[in-house]
Amino acid sequence: MTLPRISIVAWLVLTPLLCALYLTVPPSPDQSLFDYIAWSRLQGDYYYVGVAEQNWPGMMFIHEIGIRIFGVAFWTFHAFDFVLLQILTGAGMLLLYRARFRIAPWVFLLLYPAVYVTAGWWMAGQRDIVAMGLLVAAAALTLPAVSRDSDGFAACFLSGAVIFLAVITRPTYLTFLALLMLLELGLFLTGQQRFKRASLRALMMFTGFALPLGLLILQGQRIGALDDFYQQTILFNIEGYQVPQSRMRLFEPMFVLLTKSWHWITLLAAVGVALWLWTKGLSRALILILGLFATILISYFVQNKGFGYHLGGLLTLFCLLVGVSFDRVGEAAMQARTSSARLLNGGLLLGMALLAAAGTGKKILGTAPDMSGDQAYVLAPNDELSDGPDWDEISQVVAMIKSETTQDDHILQWGRDFSIPFLAERRSSIRFVSTPALDVMTPSFSGYDAWLDEVTRDLVDKRPAFIIVTKEVLSNPVGEGFAPREGASPAESLLVEHLADYKLRILNEDIGVFQDP
């Protein structure tokens, strides 16, 4: 059998297994929040107007598509994200194919889905890694290919449209559009293409990006969402969510991530870059990948948060480069003229394969649930992978809310994990569902008073039938009630005061559940 056939057979065997594994990975707090926001949109609450959110809408659109296809379940997003993963894996293969590698695309086909699925509940399916898959697709479209569109204008337009999808998912990835357009100018300056062709290709990229952006702005204007979008995603992030610390501190967590969590894949990716430069030089495809690296690093330092998942896109690029390392060593082994050279390259290839298999296998075993108990018979999240409420707790609260409320009732979730409102299919009393954002909000934010006033009114006008609160908020019991903890935000204090006449139903190490008597 040829390599492509072997790879496809292996992919057909591995894909359902990886899918089943991914469905047991709990949704991250961000993903459960986007699940709720997307579900709320299907109930008529427009993004930003009916439900507030500080992030751009790309991920909400993806979650909405998933709910439309799969309905409401804890695994809904991961099911759709796994489908999207296969598409974006194909995009990575296309980039490697157009870069004139024969083995690398098939290595990427087998490696990337396994690395992605086992990347961790705060990494897999997060905005950064999903948006990077889109940028890889955009990069692949700009590489030369045999087609009727000999100048690639249609492909450049489509590339710009894909970059638009990436940018509304992770806005700081806008850097890549500028880098792509500069690359076209650079190709003109180095004499590799005419000015007219270079400028038209850059113009088509920009048009492909700007046209859907313009349509989205017009839709936002039609529903009256632009002002809310500006306040929540731009003004709040600038005025109320900045980190007043040096960006120099970001190097240490990045170094730890690369050398501990991703050690073997970082090593093989570095080998891939070195071998690419040695055998093909600084080709156009390699420049594109280096541009993607620059995009990720700029995004990481601009955000200045230090969250590991902000570097998630590196995994996509590392897997591409691991494929290149296998390709170059494999080609060297096949073209070796002496038995000693063949033996050397073959041994190196075997060692790389064992390293990749051991590293990936360890991640798979670490992600797989214990199938000796209930998990063997019931599809449920693997609680060992998360640090939030366990599945039994969530199921208990969801069942209680569904049985004791109607769809017209409101509930309130205070804290990061929004699985309960989503799975219970009950709308929030307040539109500021990202309550950690309320907690970090300070008077320096120009919307501070208006947002707190709105929360106060909605807690009365849309009184929640149930209030679910993360345990740390309830750290100061006073008699039979609770007082705001020391240093509590004004928003958190409003919540605790509102709990005064509620009946405590559940209190454990993770959450407190209160019912309107």
Side-chain angles (χ1 to χ4, degrees):
M1 293 178 69
T2 62
L3 177 62
R5 289 183 178 179
I6 294 172
S7 299
I8 290 173
V9 170
W11 176 81
L12 290 173
V13 172
L14 288 174
T15 296
L17 298 177
L18 288 174
C19 181
L21 179 62
Y22 196 34
L23 294 185
T24 66
V25 175
S28 73
D30 280 356
Q31 290 162 6
S32 65
L33 179 65
F34 288 140
D35 273 337
Y36 170 79
I37 294 173
W39 172 83
S40 185
R41 169 66 189 90
L42 296 177
Q43 313 314 305
D45 295 327
Y46 287 118
Y47 300 142
Y48 309 109
V49 178
V51 183
E53 169 55 29
Q54 69 197 78
N55 289 292
W56 287 34
M59 213 63 197
M60 303 175 219
F61 292 148
I62 293 174
H63 281 253
E64 183 179 330
I65 295 170
I67 294 171
R68 288 180 183 274
I69 295 173
F70 296 107
V72 173
F74 79 87
W75 47 263
T76 292
F77 168 67
H78 280 170
F80 181 68
D81 186 48
F82 192 80
V83 175
L84 183 61
L85 170 63
Q86 306 312 308
I87 297 171
L88 298 181
T89 299
M93 294 179 67
L94 178 64
L95 187 149
L96 292 169
Y97 172 77
R98 289 187 170 182
R100 306 298 184 261
F101 292 111
R102 293 193 304 167
I103 299 172
W106 305 107
V107 174
F108 185 75
L109 173 66
L110 298 181
L111 178 65
Y112 185 52
V115 168
Y116 185 101
V117 164
T118 61
W121 79 308
W122 263 116
M123 189 73 68
Q126 289 293 117
R127 296 184 297 280
D128 298 80
I129 194 169
V130 172
M132 182 49 55
L134 293 168
L135 290 188
V136 167
L141 288 167
T142 67
L143 288 174
V146 178
S147 69
R148 295 179 181 178
D149 182 14
S150 58
D151 289 319
F153 295 145
C156 287
F157 178 87
L158 184 57
S159 175
V162 175
I163 293 174
F164 159 76
L165 296 176
V167 168
I168 64 171
T169 302
R170 172 53 73 195
T172 46
Y173 280 4
L174 180 61
T175 305
F176 191 63
L177 177 63
L179 292 176
L180 269 183
M181 296 174 69
L182 286 174
L183 176 59
E184 294 300 324
L185 178 61
L187 292 173
F188 158 69
L189 293 176
T190 57
Q192 297 182 50
Q193 65 180 4
R194 294 174 288 108
F195 175 75
K196 180 179 180 181
R197 183 175 186 270
S199 59
L200 284 175
R201 281 173 59 88
L203 178 61
M204 293 304 291
M205 291 175 192
F206 181 78
T207 304
F209 173 83
L211 183 59
L213 178 61
L215 294 175
L216 186 62
I217 292 173
L218 287 175
Q219 173 65 3
Q221 175 67 29
R222 186 185 70 81
I223 64 175
L226 293 184
D227 184 59
D228 289 286
F229 171 82
Y230 171 72
Q231 287 189 37
Q232 295 163 31
T233 69
I234 298 176
L235 207 59
F236 172 76
N237 285 326
I238 292 174
E239 296 180 351
Y241 194 46
Q242 291 296 308
V243 178
Q245 298 181 44
S246 169
R247 286 175 168 79
M248 293 299 294
R249 79 187 198 287
L250 301 178
F251 285 99
E252 181 180 355
M254 180 171 64
F255 178 78
V256 170
L257 187 68
L258 296 178
T259 57
K260 289 190 175 180
S261 297
W262 298 348
H263 48 86
W264 70 268
I265 198 169
T266 302
L267 173 63
L268 291 185
V271 171
V273 172
L275 292 178
W276 193 335
L277 281 169
W278 186 26
T279 59
K280 289 180 176 284
L282 190 61
S283 65
R284 181 171 178 173
L286 181 55
I287 292 173
L288 287 173
I289 288 183
L290 294 177
L292 291 171
F293 269 108
T295 299
I296 294 170
L297 295 178
I298 290 171
S299 173
Y300 177 67
F301 284 99
V302 165
Q303 292 175 86
N304 196 24
K305 300 298 187 299
F307 301 152
Y309 68 84
H310 287 166
L311 293 169
L314 291 177
L315 278 179
T316 310
L317 303 184
F318 284 170
C319 286
L320 290 170
L321 293 171
V322 170
V324 172
S325 68
F326 275 85
D327 187 285
R328 297 295 80 196
V329 174
E331 288 285 349
M334 289 186 288
Q335 295 175 8
R337 296 182 178 180
T338 64
S339 58
S340 59
R342 284 194 296 272
L343 184 62
L344 175 63
N345 285 288
L348 182 59
L349 191 64
L350 178 60
M352 291 164 55
L354 291 174
L355 181 61
T360 307
K362 181 180 178 181
K363 286 285 190 180
I364 289 175
L365 292 175
T367 305
D370 179 6
M371 302 301 288
S372 61
D374 292 340
Q375 186 71 42
Y377 309 100
V378 179
L379 179 61
N382 182 1
D383 293 326
E384 296 298 320
L385 303 178
S386 70
D387 54 11
D390 64 40
W391 179 239
D392 288 339
E393 292 173 346
I394 292 172
S395 299
Q396 177 188 2
V397 177
V398 168
M400 182 173 65
I401 291 173
K402 280 192 167 185
S403 65
E404 299 182 27
T405 63
T406 69
Q407 290 189 338
D408 293 330
D409 289 321
H410 291 83
I411 66 173
L412 177 63
Q413 166 78 57
W414 199 277
R416 280 203 166 275
D417 194 323
F418 233 78
S419 295
I420 290 172
F422 170 62
L423 296 174
E425 299 181 71
R426 296 295 184 266
R427 294 162 87 172
S428 174
S429 293
I430 63 175
R431 67 176 177 136
F432 300 102
V433 294
S434 184
T435 56
L438 288 179
D439 283 337
V440 301
M441 186 173 62
T442 66
S444 63
F445 171 49
S446 55
Y448 180 82
D449 291 330
W451 284 18
L452 286 181
D453 288 344
E454 182 180 335
V455 170
T456 303
R457 289 194 308 271
D458 285 344
L459 285 175
V460 175
D461 296 342
K462 294 182 283 188
R463 185 176 174 86
F466 281 90
I467 299 179
I468 306 100
V469 190
T470 51
K471 180 65 182 297
E472 61 267 18
V473 176
L474 307 173
S475 59
N476 293 321
V478 177
E480 295 183 357
F482 293 89
R485 57 180 170 170
E486 183 179 353
S489 67
E492 189 177 294
S493 298
L494 281 175
L495 166 74
V496 176
E497 291 169 10
H498 192 76
L499 289 173
D501 57 349
Y502 272 69
K503 179 175 63 174
L504 179 62
R505 290 289 301 271
I506 297 174
L507 183 63
N508 57 41
E509 63 181 11
D510 296 311
I511 57 174
V513 179
F514 298 80
Q515 184 176 19
D516 187 14

Short mmCIF file of all heavy atoms in Angstrom, two decimals, residues 96-146:
data_model
loop_
_atom_site.label_atom_id
_atom_site.label_comp_id
_atom_site.label_asym_id
_atom_site.label_seq_id
_atom_site.Cartn_x
_atom_site.Cartn_y
_atom_site.Cartn_z
N LEU A 96 0.77 22.16 3.16
CA LEU A 96 1.98 21.35 3.02
C LEU A 96 2.10 20.79 1.60
O LEU A 96 3.21 20.70 1.05
CB LEU A 96 1.96 20.21 4.04
CG LEU A 96 2.10 20.64 5.50
CD1 LEU A 96 1.81 19.48 6.44
CD2 LEU A 96 3.50 21.21 5.77
N TYR A 97 0.98 20.43 1.00
CA TYR A 97 1.00 19.91 -0.37
C TYR A 97 1.46 20.99 -1.35
O TYR A 97 2.29 20.75 -2.24
CB TYR A 97 -0.39 19.40 -0.74
CG TYR A 97 -0.54 19.03 -2.19
CD1 TYR A 97 -0.02 17.83 -2.69
CD2 TYR A 97 -1.19 19.88 -3.09
CE1 TYR A 97 -0.15 17.49 -4.03
CE2 TYR A 97 -1.32 19.56 -4.42
CZ TYR A 97 -0.80 18.36 -4.89
OH TYR A 97 -0.93 18.04 -6.22
N ARG A 98 0.91 22.20 -1.17
CA ARG A 98 1.29 23.29 -2.07
C ARG A 98 2.72 23.78 -1.80
O ARG A 98 3.31 24.44 -2.64
CB ARG A 98 0.31 24.45 -1.93
CG ARG A 98 -1.06 24.12 -2.53
CD ARG A 98 -1.98 25.31 -2.55
NE ARG A 98 -3.17 25.03 -3.34
CZ ARG A 98 -4.15 25.92 -3.56
NH1 ARG A 98 -4.08 27.13 -3.05
NH2 ARG A 98 -5.19 25.58 -4.30
N ALA A 99 3.25 23.44 -0.62
CA ALA A 99 4.65 23.75 -0.32
C ALA A 99 5.57 22.68 -0.90
O ALA A 99 6.79 22.71 -0.67
CB ALA A 99 4.86 23.87 1.18
N ARG A 100 5.01 21.72 -1.61
CA ARG A 100 5.73 20.67 -2.34
C ARG A 100 6.35 19.62 -1.41
O ARG A 100 7.47 19.13 -1.64
CB ARG A 100 6.80 21.26 -3.25
CG ARG A 100 6.30 22.32 -4.22
CD ARG A 100 5.28 21.76 -5.19
NE ARG A 100 4.88 22.75 -6.18
CZ ARG A 100 3.75 23.47 -6.11
NH1 ARG A 100 2.93 23.28 -5.08
NH2 ARG A 100 3.44 24.34 -7.05
N PHE A 101 5.62 19.26 -0.36
CA PHE A 101 6.03 18.15 0.49
C PHE A 101 5.14 16.94 0.18
O PHE A 101 3.93 17.08 0.02
CB PHE A 101 5.90 18.52 1.97
CG PHE A 101 6.87 19.57 2.43
CD1 PHE A 101 6.44 20.84 2.76
CD2 PHE A 101 8.23 19.28 2.51
CE1 PHE A 101 7.33 21.81 3.18
CE2 PHE A 101 9.13 20.24 2.93
CZ PHE A 101 8.68 21.52 3.26
N ARG A 102 5.74 15.75 0.13
CA ARG A 102 4.97 14.54 -0.20
C ARG A 102 4.53 13.78 1.03
O ARG A 102 3.41 13.24 1.08
CB ARG A 102 5.82 13.61 -1.09
CG ARG A 102 6.11 14.16 -2.48
CD ARG A 102 6.67 13.07 -3.37
NE ARG A 102 7.86 12.43 -2.81
CZ ARG A 102 8.38 11.29 -3.26
NH1 ARG A 102 7.78 10.63 -4.25
NH2 ARG A 102 9.47 10.80 -2.72
N ILE A 103 5.37 13.71 2.06
CA ILE A 103 5.07 12.92 3.25
C ILE A 103 4.38 13.76 4.32
O ILE A 103 3.48 13.28 5.03
CB ILE A 103 6.38 12.31 3.81
CG1 ILE A 103 7.02 11.38 2.77
CG2 ILE A 103 6.12 11.56 5.11
CD1 ILE A 103 8.40 10.87 3.16
N ALA A 104 4.77 15.02 4.43
CA ALA A 104 4.29 15.88 5.52
C ALA A 104 2.76 15.97 5.62
O ALA A 104 2.22 15.94 6.74
CB ALA A 104 4.89 17.28 5.37
N PRO A 105 2.02 16.10 4.50
CA PRO A 105 0.56 16.21 4.65
C PRO A 105 -0.06 15.01 5.36
O PRO A 105 -1.01 15.16 6.14
CB PRO A 105 0.07 16.32 3.21
CG PRO A 105 1.23 16.85 2.43
CD PRO A 105 2.43 16.26 3.09
N TRP A 106 0.48 13.82 5.10
CA TRP A 106 -0.11 12.61 5.69
C TRP A 106 0.27 12.45 7.15
O TRP A 106 -0.51 11.92 7.95
CB TRP A 106 0.32 11.40 4.85
CG TRP A 106 -0.05 11.59 3.42
CD1 TRP A 106 0.79 11.86 2.37
CD2 TRP A 106 -1.37 11.60 2.88
NE1 TRP A 106 0.08 12.02 1.22
CE2 TRP A 106 -1.27 11.87 1.49
CE3 TRP A 106 -2.64 11.42 3.42
CZ2 TRP A 106 -2.35 11.95 0.65
CZ3 TRP A 106 -3.74 11.49 2.59
CH2 TRP A 106 -3.59 11.76 1.23
N VAL A 107 1.46 12.92 7.50
CA VAL A 107 1.83 12.95 8.92
C VAL A 107 0.92 13.91 9.68
O VAL A 107 0.42 13.60 10.76
CB VAL A 107 3.31 13.37 9.09
CG1 VAL A 107 3.67 13.54 10.57
CG2 VAL A 107 4.23 12.34 8.44
N PHE A 108 0.67 15.07 9.08
CA PHE A 108 -0.20 16.07 9.71
C PHE A 108 -1.62 15.52 9.87
O PHE A 108 -2.27 15.77 10.89
CB PHE A 108 -0.21 17.34 8.85
CG PHE A 108 -0.98 18.47 9.47
CD1 PHE A 108 -0.47 19.20 10.52
CD2 PHE A 108 -2.23 18.82 8.98
CE1 PHE A 108 -1.18 20.25 11.09
CE2 PHE A 108 -2.95 19.86 9.53
CZ PHE A 108 -2.42 20.58 10.60
N LEU A 109 -2.09 14.78 8.89
CA LEU A 109 -3.44 14.21 8.95
C LEU A 109 -3.61 13.32 10.18
O LEU A 109 -4.67 13.35 10.82
CB LEU A 109 -3.72 13.39 7.68
CG LEU A 109 -5.02 12.58 7.66
CD1 LEU A 109 -6.23 13.50 7.66
CD2 LEU A 109 -5.05 11.63 6.46
N LEU A 110 -2.59 12.56 10.51
CA LEU A 110 -2.70 11.64 11.64
C LEU A 110 -2.35 12.32 12.97
O LEU A 110 -2.91 11.99 14.01
CB LEU A 110 -1.77 10.44 11.42
CG LEU A 110 -2.08 9.58 10.19
CD1 LEU A 110 -1.09 8.42 10.10
CD2 LEU A 110 -3.50 9.04 10.24
N LEU A 111 -1.42 13.27 12.93
CA LEU A 111 -0.91 13.85 14.17
C LEU A 111 -1.82 14.95 14.73
O LEU A 111 -2.13 14.95 15.93
CB LEU A 111 0.50 14.41 13.94
CG LEU A 111 1.16 15.09 15.14
CD1 LEU A 111 1.39 14.09 16.26
CD2 LEU A 111 2.48 15.75 14.72
N TYR A 112 -2.24 15.88 13.88
CA TYR A 112 -2.89 17.08 14.39
C TYR A 112 -4.20 16.79 15.15
O TYR A 112 -4.39 17.33 16.25
CB TYR A 112 -3.14 18.08 13.26
CG TYR A 112 -3.71 19.39 13.75
CD1 TYR A 112 -3.09 20.10 14.79
CD2 TYR A 112 -4.87 19.93 13.19
CE1 TYR A 112 -3.62 21.30 15.24
CE2 TYR A 112 -5.39 21.13 13.64
CZ TYR A 112 -4.76 21.81 14.66
OH TYR A 112 -5.28 23.00 15.12
N PRO A 113 -5.10 15.96 14.61
CA PRO A 113 -6.33 15.71 15.38
C PRO A 113 -6.05 15.12 16.76
O PRO A 113 -6.71 15.48 17.74
CB PRO A 113 -7.10 14.73 14.50
CG PRO A 113 -6.63 15.02 13.11
CD PRO A 113 -5.17 15.34 13.28
N ALA A 114 -5.07 14.22 16.85
CA ALA A 114 -4.75 13.61 18.15
C ALA A 114 -4.17 14.64 19.11
O ALA A 114 -4.52 14.68 20.30
CB ALA A 114 -3.76 12.45 17.96
N VAL A 115 -3.28 15.50 18.62
CA VAL A 115 -2.70 16.54 19.46
C VAL A 115 -3.77 17.54 19.89
O VAL A 115 -3.81 17.97 21.05
CB VAL A 115 -1.55 17.25 18.71
CG1 VAL A 115 -1.12 18.52 19.43
CG2 VAL A 115 -0.36 16.31 18.56
N TYR A 116 -4.64 17.89 18.99
CA TYR A 116 -5.71 18.87 19.28
C TYR A 116 -6.66 18.35 20.35
O TYR A 116 -6.94 19.03 21.34
CB TYR A 116 -6.47 19.14 17.98
CG TYR A 116 -7.54 20.21 18.06
CD1 TYR A 116 -7.30 21.50 17.58
CD2 TYR A 116 -8.80 19.95 18.58
CE1 TYR A 116 -8.28 22.48 17.62
CE2 TYR A 116 -9.78 20.93 18.64
CZ TYR A 116 -9.51 22.19 18.16
OH TYR A 116 -10.49 23.14 18.21
N VAL A 117 -7.15 17.14 20.16
CA VAL A 117 -8.14 16.57 21.07
C VAL A 117 -7.59 16.43 22.48
O VAL A 117 -8.32 16.61 23.47
CB VAL A 117 -8.63 15.21 20.53
CG1 VAL A 117 -9.35 14.40 21.60
CG2 VAL A 117 -9.54 15.42 19.32
N THR A 118 -6.30 16.14 22.60
CA THR A 118 -5.70 15.90 23.92
C THR A 118 -4.97 17.12 24.46
O THR A 118 -4.22 17.02 25.43
CB THR A 118 -4.70 14.72 23.83
OG1 THR A 118 -3.66 15.05 22.90
CG2 THR A 118 -5.39 13.45 23.38
N ALA A 119 -5.20 18.29 23.87
CA ALA A 119 -4.46 19.48 24.26
C ALA A 119 -4.86 20.02 25.63
O ALA A 119 -4.14 20.83 26.21
CB ALA A 119 -4.63 20.58 23.21
N GLY A 120 -6.02 19.61 26.14
CA GLY A 120 -6.48 20.09 27.44
C GLY A 120 -7.78 20.87 27.31
O GLY A 120 -8.05 21.48 26.28
N TRP A 121 -8.58 20.86 28.37
CA TRP A 121 -9.91 21.46 28.30
C TRP A 121 -9.86 22.97 28.19
O TRP A 121 -10.83 23.60 27.77
CB TRP A 121 -10.76 21.01 29.49
CG TRP A 121 -10.49 21.72 30.79
CD1 TRP A 121 -9.30 21.88 31.41
CD2 TRP A 121 -11.47 22.33 31.64
NE1 TRP A 121 -9.46 22.56 32.60
CE2 TRP A 121 -10.79 22.85 32.76
CE3 TRP A 121 -12.86 22.48 31.57
CZ2 TRP A 121 -11.44 23.51 33.80
CZ3 TRP A 121 -13.49 23.13 32.61
CH2 TRP A 121 -12.79 23.65 33.70
N TRP A 122 -8.72 23.60 28.58
CA TRP A 122 -8.55 25.03 28.41
C TRP A 122 -7.79 25.36 27.12
O TRP A 122 -7.43 26.53 26.91
CB TRP A 122 -7.81 25.62 29.60
CG TRP A 122 -8.69 26.23 30.65
CD1 TRP A 122 -8.83 25.82 31.94
CD2 TRP A 122 -9.55 27.37 30.52
NE1 TRP A 122 -9.73 26.63 32.62
CE2 TRP A 122 -10.18 27.59 31.77
CE3 TRP A 122 -9.86 28.23 29.45
CZ2 TRP A 122 -11.10 28.64 31.99
CZ3 TRP A 122 -10.77 29.27 29.68
CH2 TRP A 122 -11.37 29.47 30.93
N MET A 123 -7.55 24.37 26.27
CA MET A 123 -6.79 24.61 25.04
C MET A 123 -7.59 24.20 23.81
O MET A 123 -7.77 24.98 22.88
CB MET A 123 -5.47 23.84 25.09
CG MET A 123 -4.50 24.16 23.98
SD MET A 123 -3.72 25.78 24.15
CE MET A 123 -2.70 25.53 25.60
N ALA A 124 -8.06 22.94 23.79
CA ALA A 124 -8.79 22.44 22.62
C ALA A 124 -10.11 23.19 22.45
O ALA A 124 -10.89 23.32 23.39
CB ALA A 124 -9.06 20.94 22.79
N GLY A 125 -10.34 23.69 21.26
CA GLY A 125 -11.58 24.38 20.98
C GLY A 125 -11.63 25.82 21.45
O GLY A 125 -12.65 26.49 21.29
N GLN A 126 -10.53 26.32 22.02
CA GLN A 126 -10.50 27.73 22.43
C GLN A 126 -10.31 28.62 21.18
O GLN A 126 -9.88 28.18 20.13
CB GLN A 126 -9.38 27.97 23.43
CG GLN A 126 -9.65 27.38 24.80
CD GLN A 126 -10.82 28.06 25.53
OE1 GLN A 126 -11.82 27.40 25.81
NE2 GLN A 126 -10.70 29.33 25.85
N ARG A 127 -10.58 29.89 21.35
CA ARG A 127 -10.60 30.81 20.21
C ARG A 127 -9.28 30.83 19.46
O ARG A 127 -9.26 30.86 18.22
CB ARG A 127 -10.95 32.22 20.69
CG ARG A 127 -12.34 32.33 21.28
CD ARG A 127 -12.68 33.75 21.67
NE ARG A 127 -11.83 34.28 22.71
CZ ARG A 127 -11.97 34.03 24.01
NH1 ARG A 127 -12.92 33.20 24.42
NH2 ARG A 127 -11.18 34.57 24.91
N ASP A 128 -8.16 30.82 20.17
CA ASP A 128 -6.86 31.00 19.53
C ASP A 128 -6.51 29.85 18.59
O ASP A 128 -6.06 30.08 17.47
CB ASP A 128 -5.78 31.15 20.61
CG ASP A 128 -6.03 32.37 21.47
OD1 ASP A 128 -6.88 32.28 22.38
OD2 ASP A 128 -5.40 33.41 21.23
N ILE A 129 -6.71 28.62 19.05
CA ILE A 129 -6.32 27.49 18.22
C ILE A 129 -7.30 27.30 17.05
O ILE A 129 -6.91 26.93 15.94
CB ILE A 129 -6.19 26.20 19.07
CG1 ILE A 129 -5.46 25.11 18.28
CG2 ILE A 129 -7.54 25.72 19.58
CD1 ILE A 129 -5.06 23.92 19.13
N VAL A 130 -8.58 27.58 17.27
CA VAL A 130 -9.55 27.49 16.18
C VAL A 130 -9.25 28.54 15.12
O VAL A 130 -9.23 28.27 13.92
CB VAL A 130 -10.99 27.65 16.71
CG1 VAL A 130 -11.98 27.76 15.56
CG2 VAL A 130 -11.35 26.47 17.61
N ALA A 131 -9.00 29.78 15.56
CA ALA A 131 -8.72 30.86 14.62
C ALA A 131 -7.42 30.61 13.86
O ALA A 131 -7.29 30.95 12.68
CB ALA A 131 -8.65 32.20 15.35
N MET A 132 -6.45 29.97 14.51
CA MET A 132 -5.20 29.66 13.81
C MET A 132 -5.43 28.65 12.70
O MET A 132 -4.82 28.73 11.63
CB MET A 132 -4.15 29.14 14.81
CG MET A 132 -2.80 28.84 14.18
SD MET A 132 -2.10 30.13 13.11
CE MET A 132 -2.11 31.55 14.20
N GLY A 133 -6.32 27.67 12.93
CA GLY A 133 -6.66 26.75 11.85
C GLY A 133 -7.23 27.48 10.64
O GLY A 133 -6.92 27.15 9.48
N LEU A 134 -8.03 28.51 10.90
CA LEU A 134 -8.57 29.32 9.81
C LEU A 134 -7.46 30.09 9.09
O LEU A 134 -7.47 30.19 7.85
CB LEU A 134 -9.62 30.30 10.36
CG LEU A 134 -10.91 29.65 10.89
CD1 LEU A 134 -11.75 30.67 11.66
CD2 LEU A 134 -11.73 29.07 9.74
N LEU A 135 -6.51 30.63 9.84
CA LEU A 135 -5.42 31.36 9.20
C LEU A 135 -4.54 30.43 8.37
O LEU A 135 -4.01 30.83 7.32
CB LEU A 135 -4.57 32.07 10.26
CG LEU A 135 -5.21 33.27 10.97
CD1 LEU A 135 -4.17 33.98 11.83
CD2 LEU A 135 -5.84 34.25 9.98
N VAL A 136 -4.36 29.20 8.81
CA VAL A 136 -3.61 28.22 8.01
C VAL A 136 -4.32 27.98 6.68
O VAL A 136 -3.69 27.91 5.62
CB VAL A 136 -3.43 26.90 8.79
CG1 VAL A 136 -2.95 25.78 7.88
CG2 VAL A 136 -2.44 27.10 9.94
N ALA A 137 -5.65 27.89 6.74
CA ALA A 137 -6.43 27.74 5.51
C ALA A 137 -6.24 28.95 4.61
O ALA A 137 -6.08 28.82 3.38
CB ALA A 137 -7.91 27.54 5.86
N ALA A 138 -6.25 30.14 5.20
CA ALA A 138 -6.06 31.36 4.41
C ALA A 138 -4.69 31.38 3.77
O ALA A 138 -4.54 31.77 2.60
CB ALA A 138 -6.25 32.59 5.31
N ALA A 139 -3.67 30.96 4.51
CA ALA A 139 -2.31 30.92 3.97
C ALA A 139 -2.21 29.93 2.81
O ALA A 139 -1.59 30.20 1.79
CB ALA A 139 -1.33 30.56 5.08
N ALA A 140 -2.83 28.75 2.97
CA ALA A 140 -2.78 27.72 1.93
C ALA A 140 -3.40 28.24 0.63
O ALA A 140 -2.91 27.94 -0.47
CB ALA A 140 -3.51 26.47 2.41
N LEU A 141 -4.47 29.02 0.74
CA LEU A 141 -5.14 29.53 -0.45
C LEU A 141 -4.28 30.50 -1.24
O LEU A 141 -4.47 30.64 -2.46
CB LEU A 141 -6.45 30.22 -0.04
CG LEU A 141 -7.58 29.29 0.42
CD1 LEU A 141 -8.69 30.09 1.08
CD2 LEU A 141 -8.13 28.49 -0.76
N THR A 142 -3.34 31.16 -0.59
CA THR A 142 -2.52 32.14 -1.30
C THR A 142 -1.32 31.52 -2.00
O THR A 142 -0.67 32.19 -2.81
CB THR A 142 -1.99 33.21 -0.32
OG1 THR A 142 -1.08 32.61 0.60
CG2 THR A 142 -3.14 33.86 0.44
N LEU A 143 -1.02 30.26 -1.69
CA LEU A 143 0.11 29.61 -2.35
C LEU A 143 -0.26 29.22 -3.77
O LEU A 143 -1.42 28.91 -4.06
CB LEU A 143 0.54 28.37 -1.56
CG LEU A 143 1.25 28.66 -0.23
CD1 LEU A 143 1.48 27.35 0.52
CD2 LEU A 143 2.57 29.38 -0.46
N PRO A 144 0.71 29.20 -4.67
CA PRO A 144 0.42 28.86 -6.07
C PRO A 144 -0.17 27.47 -6.22
O PRO A 144 0.21 26.54 -5.52
CB PRO A 144 1.80 28.93 -6.74
CG PRO A 144 2.62 29.80 -5.83
CD PRO A 144 2.12 29.54 -4.45
N ALA A 145 -1.13 27.36 -7.12
CA ALA A 145 -1.76 26.07 -7.41
C ALA A 145 -2.16 26.07 -8.87
O ALA A 145 -2.37 27.11 -9.48
CB ALA A 145 -2.99 25.85 -6.53
N VAL A 146 -2.25 24.88 -9.45
CA VAL A 146 -2.67 24.75 -10.85
C VAL A 146 -4.18 24.94 -10.90
O VAL A 146 -4.94 24.16 -10.32
CB VAL A 146 -2.28 23.38 -11.42
CG1 VAL A 146 -2.78 23.26 -12.85
CG2 VAL A 146 -0.78 23.19 -11.35
#
